[in-house]
Amino acid sequence: MGKIADIVNRNLETIQDLRCLSVLMVSISSLISQRFQEQLVNKAEQLFDTIDSSQVNTARRIVQFLRNIKYNYYPLLERCNKVFLSNVNHLDLDSISKILSLYHSLQFHSFEFILMTKKRLTEMIPLFDHPASFVKLFVTLGPVAGPEEEKQLKSTILLMSEELTGQQALAVMGAMEEMESRNSRLIKKIASILYKHLDNYKPVELLRITQALIFLHFQSKELLVKLRELLLSYLKVSVIPSETSLLVCALSMLPSPRLDEAKISQIEAVLPQCDLNDLNSFATSVLRCIQYDPMYRNNTPGKQLKLLQKLDHYGRQRLRKCSSLNLLWEEVKSLKGDWFADSLLEETVVTLQRLIDEINYINVAGIASFISRTNYLSTSLLDRIASVVLQQNEKIHPFAILAIILPFSALNYDPPQRDEFFGTCLQHLNSYLSILDPLKLVFLGYSLATREYFSEDLLKAIFNIRFLAKLDSQLELLCSSLNMKVQFRLMELNRAVCLECPEYQIPWFHDRFCQQQYKKDFGSMNGAQQQIYKMLAEVLGGINFVKASVLTPYYYTIDFECILDKRKKPIPYGSHNTTLGKLPKIHSELNTQIAGSRLPPGAEKIALEFLDSRAFCRNIPHLKGKSAMKKRHLEILGYHVIQIPHFEWNSMALSTKNARMDYLRERIFGEGKSSS
């Protein structure tokens, strides 16, 4: 195969048949250099116009090649996607299943392709009566199916469940997890099939079964006991780090997880060979055991702590030895969890800063995503990202722009050439606004609004009936958590535009949505808020001088509100229905007039907000974008905003009640004691 790769390399310039080249590309993908990979991608791009639009297999092989080399090269993916779209009515179940699987691996989302294939797959439901075919249909259609199709799929799979093999049952259980299924009868039936075949599954499959059973809240002592026995038997003979880590991970998810000395010794034996993903997996499992095993609740055994220290040591050592940004990125791109954030994040950022010159148009979006995800503000890394965008923007695909903008928005940071940076990003996107994924367009608009950057073209592309109808149809395909997140972001963008850009005359249309959400989500005050509430009542002269959990026009919730007259004296409210720790009833209709319009002359409304750690960057007390935008909007609504950071309120300087009372007086009245 090496000789074949060499022949392809030497003759690349003369090859003119993309169909033949695509076969060779897939075959040699595992043993070629990065430079050769890039040459093949460029050659495929050059030859793409020579193929007939019906050559689905050639396009699929190119996507497969990109998946094999882990390179989501958007220009080529887009062109392949167009081939699939133009042939969607001729694609069979097998082809659709393969294409969607490849897209998933490359994290490439084509809403149009999913929508069209959903229709095609729905038409296939009555056509398959053989388990092998129907399971493939269930797995492919299930996660995007509507309620009616989902009902049909589940009832049919239940009828043929007795005929399912172990692998088919595993595939169905995985799809049910993705569908967030709560059909207890089907879950029980598939679990019984898994139990019958449990001895035949590989370690990675046992992990998938464990994850699915836990997610679907399935309880069967018999199944879980057998699962534990099998995992332990595999662990005893495992010497491959990645396999050992996933076995320990699966064991830690089962009830009463426990790491005895033998297991700890086995983990320690493979640590020198582990990459950061394996180390993170081990640490997450150890922390889970400590958290959920009643034996460890009050006293963490020394062996576990020693193992965590060793994991820290090997993680730091690996980072310090790293000399290539691309190799580092492969290991850190999917890292998450408490151990990584608490133990290795700072060292990882130091390593990224050391390799900062290697950030380029290929990896810039990935590095930006990592910074957004970790909430770690490194101005040098963000300045480098902005500089790469300004210098190499022609090479960056528009689909990557959202990921690049996100950390600047989330962490409330402007690069030195702010307007030029955001302007370049938007200019790069303008011709793509009509074809960009609706979800990404909403997130992009919100991210820019957070940084007080409003593009009229972008807002017109979002706030029109056609786009919102398209977005609605896409929301039906999403899991419930992502669906709700998109709806919230659209509401927040709508609110930002109404408050900051009234000249665009975009109407506020989220009253009903907000009323439904806030009726559902209103809870009680936390400990710190209750404490501040009591003290504010004392500082202001009584409980009737302060309101708790106030809902403003445009549905912002503020912790506390009070009103001072022009001589800085508190003005009492009318009758109060708020008792300590309880929240007021929400009025079913709120007008959206600017607050403060009915105040006595010279009086001002004050909003006091307690900010916990989520409002700040992880490494420094720098206010994040969402909290900064809320402050800006409350000021537009007529409030004087006082933010009380958790690190000030819980500091040694405010360790006594008197000190805290003086702090509140100073913040409200601008002096050490009340003027009332």
Side-chain angles (χ1 to χ4, degrees), residues 603-620:
E604 67 173 351
K605 267 189 178 180
I606 295 178
L608 291 104
E609 286 276 283
F610 177 75
L611 301 180
D612 63 18
S613 58
R614 291 171 299 178
F616 299 92
C617 297
R618 180 179 286 277
N619 54 319
I620 55 172

Side-chain angles (χ1 to χ4, degrees), residues 539-598:
V539 166
L540 294 164
I543 200 83
N544 59 326
F545 288 93
V546 58
K547 267 188 176 180
S549 304
V550 177
L551 206 54
T552 74
Y554 294 102
Y555 296 85
Y556 269 121
T557 311
I558 52 177
D559 294 336
F560 310 102
E561 180 192 278
C562 63
I563 305 172
L564 301 184
D565 67 16
K566 62 184 177 185
R567 289 171 297 173
K568 292 239 177 209
K569 285 194 172 182
I571 298 174
Y573 289 94
S575 61
H576 253 272
N577 62 0
T578 309
T579 53
L580 191 59
K582 300 281 184 181
L583 297 181
K585 290 179 182 176
I586 305 171
H587 300 295
S588 58
E589 286 183 28
L590 286 169
N591 65 51
T592 52
Q593 292 174 16
I594 300 300
S597 56
R598 297 181 207 156

Side-chain angles (χ1 to χ4, degrees), residues 327-344:
L327 292 177
L328 173 68
W329 178 240
E330 277 305 308
E331 293 192 29
V332 304
K333 65 182 177 185
S334 56
L335 288 187
K336 55 186 174 185
D338 293 340
W339 175 77
F340 173 70
D342 295 338
S343 302
L344 286 194

